[in-house]
Amino acid sequence: MDYHQQFHRAAIERGIPEDEVSKFAEFLRFAVWTSERPNGVPVGRSVGLPRLPVGMEWPSSEHGPLPFVASFDCAALPGVDGLALPSDGSLLLFLHHEWAHDTYSVAHEQRFARVVYVPAGNDTATAGKRNLRLEEEALRVMREWVPLAQFVPDEVYQARFLIRHDDVAAGRFDRTLSFTAFTE
């Protein structure tokens, strides 16, 4: 679907001058959003283990293996003009968001993220059991910790306070951890 043409046509129909529409359109960035919809075609997944090319090591940084975040089937993604995604194969995303956030540097943050493109037809294998430990550890943390409070006080940041279940039960609120995520 050509979203740029749709935008252009709608703006002209509303009486916006052609030169203004063209200038503004240069800054438009259309994205593919993935979410669950009833009867929709799945385009990706964010659980389980990825299928890495045979012989490929699990993506890692100097601190260790990077958690698997999601995979996308490029053939199932809708096309967007100006976004030349591969027409087949898979995109695998790996990110250790805590290590990345702690760097406070965009350049250094890149050490903790990887995107792997696996062309269709490549021999792949599900990652071995050693990498399953990453998911088991993530699940353990999710079982131990609970959000005490989450809020968005304005459009600039989100605040989260997390605490272990046993600390709540024991009234040890001084052990609460806070996390701030900036949205801009």
Side-chain angles (χ1 to χ4, degrees), residues 19 23 26 51 57 70 73-74 81-82 88 97-98 103 107 109 118 120 131 138 142 151 162-163 178:
D19 63 328
K23 286 180 191 175
E26 290 178 26
R51 295 193 62 82
E57 290 291 321
D73 177 0
C74 296
D81 288 342
D88 62 13
H97 66 279
E98 291 169 353
T103 65
E109 186 174 332
V118 182
N131 297 308
M142 289 170 55
F151 57 95
L162 301 173
I163 189 167
S178 68

Side-chain angles (χ1 to χ4, degrees), residues 53-73:
V54 171
M56 179 180 182
E57 290 291 321
W58 186 276
S60 62
S61 73
E62 67 271 17
H63 296 296
L66 299 174
F68 169 66
V69 177
S71 67
F72 297 97
D73 177 0

Side-chain angles (χ1 to χ4, degrees), residues 87-127:
S87 60
D88 62 13
S90 299
L91 290 174
L92 309 176
L93 284 68
F94 299 84
L95 171 67
H96 198 297
H97 66 279
E98 291 169 353
W99 294 341
H101 183 265
D102 288 344
T103 65
Y104 301 103
S105 162
V106 173
H108 291 130
E109 186 174 332
Q110 306 317 302
R111 298 186 317 226
F112 307 112
R114 300 283 186 285
V115 176
V116 175
Y117 172 62
V118 182
N122 271 26
D123 289 337
T124 61
T126 302

Side-chain angles (χ1 to χ4, degrees), residues 28 36 39 44 49 54 56 73-74 121 152 180:
L28 289 177
E36 288 189 32
N39 303 320
L49 294 171
V54 171
M56 179 180 182
D73 177 0
C74 296
V152 183
T180 302

